[in-house]
Amino acid sequence: MLMHQGVGLEAFNAMPLRKAVHAVFECCYSVLLATDLAKLRPFPNHDSLFRAADQLLFDLSEESVDTILQAYPDVGRRPGSEKSAAEQCAIWCDQPEMMQRLATASKDYLDHFGLGFVMFINGYNAEQVLATMTDRLHNDLETERKIVRNELAKINRTRLERMLGPEGGFDNWV
């Protein structure tokens, strides 16, 4: 569970470095990215923080991205998870055969590319995720690594948005 939810951009900008690194790490699972992003503060708005996070992710080595991927559970690992609703681990289908097909495709993906499948699944169902995974198995490794970074960037953005809360901050009812 994220400890830092809805902290607001102003509070994030003012956090001590160690606490800011921890808050970002909860979103991206990379100490390097979290540290570099926290050191770039203050950010004038959410978009500038998101763009900086994307750039830092795209600048990471493949080894660093592989380390991040180790933190991602397989498709359907946490069915219906509220926290992970936009992530593939929350995918669920009441048909056991579909869940088995997803598990098999996930293993095939890992065997083929040597890295875990990751996808921003917000709004997709199990069948659509399976179709995407199957399609991506036709990619070469270089293409797939680019897609993985793009998917991680989408997931990071969702998590960073949750960490920060709304752009204007929360209304304080007095």
Side-chain angles (χ1 to χ4, degrees):
M1 178 170 202
L2 289 178
M3 289 177 39
H4 302 94
Q5 273 191 296
V7 300
L9 183 61
E10 189 175 316
F12 174 70
N13 282 336
M15 283 179 183
L17 180 63
R18 193 173 120 219
K19 188 171 181 180
V21 169
H22 186 253
V24 175
F25 179 82
E26 289 178 343
C27 300
C28 68
Y29 301 132
S30 168
V31 173
L32 184 61
L33 191 155
T35 302
D36 289 348
L37 189 65
K39 286 180 178 177
L40 291 174
R41 296 172 305 150
F43 291 98
N45 54 48
H46 287 200
D47 194 51
S48 63
L49 184 148
F50 300 149
R51 283 194 318 270
D54 288 349
Q55 188 59 56
L56 290 168
L57 173 66
F58 293 122
D59 289 345
L60 288 176
S61 69
E62 295 299 350
E63 294 79 22
S64 293
V65 171
D66 291 348
T67 300
I68 292 169
L69 292 174
Q70 291 175 17
Y72 281 81
D74 285 340
V75 174
R77 182 62 58 98
R78 292 193 301 245
S81 168
E82 204 172 301
K83 173 187 168 254
S84 302
E87 299 172 28
Q88 76 270 352
C89 62
I91 282 292
W92 179 253
C93 178
D94 288 331
Q95 302 168 340
E97 61 276 0
M98 174 56 77
M99 294 307 292
Q100 182 56 52
R101 288 173 60 202
L102 279 167
T104 300
S106 183
K107 184 185 177 320
D108 292 347
Y109 181 95
L110 178 62
D111 291 345
H112 183 74
F113 291 115
L115 50 111
F117 177 78
V118 66
M119 177 182 173
F120 179 74
I121 60 97
N122 196 18
Y124 292 98
N125 62 32
E127 195 171 297
Q128 292 166 316
V129 171
L130 178 62
T132 299
M133 196 181 317
T134 303
D135 286 347
R136 284 173 50 184
L137 277 167
H138 298 290
N139 293 334
D140 59 72
L141 183 59
E142 183 180 345
T143 300
E144 189 57 24
R145 283 197 169 277
K146 289 176 184 173
I147 291 169
V148 164
R149 284 181 194 252
N150 284 321
E151 296 300 311
L152 287 172
K154 293 175 197 174
I155 293 167
N156 284 351
R157 182 167 292 218
T158 298
R159 291 175 175 180
L160 289 166
E161 287 173 342
R162 190 170 41 227
M163 187 250 314
L164 293 174
E167 178 79 45
F170 289 103
D171 290 330
N172 292 322
W173 303 101
V174 182

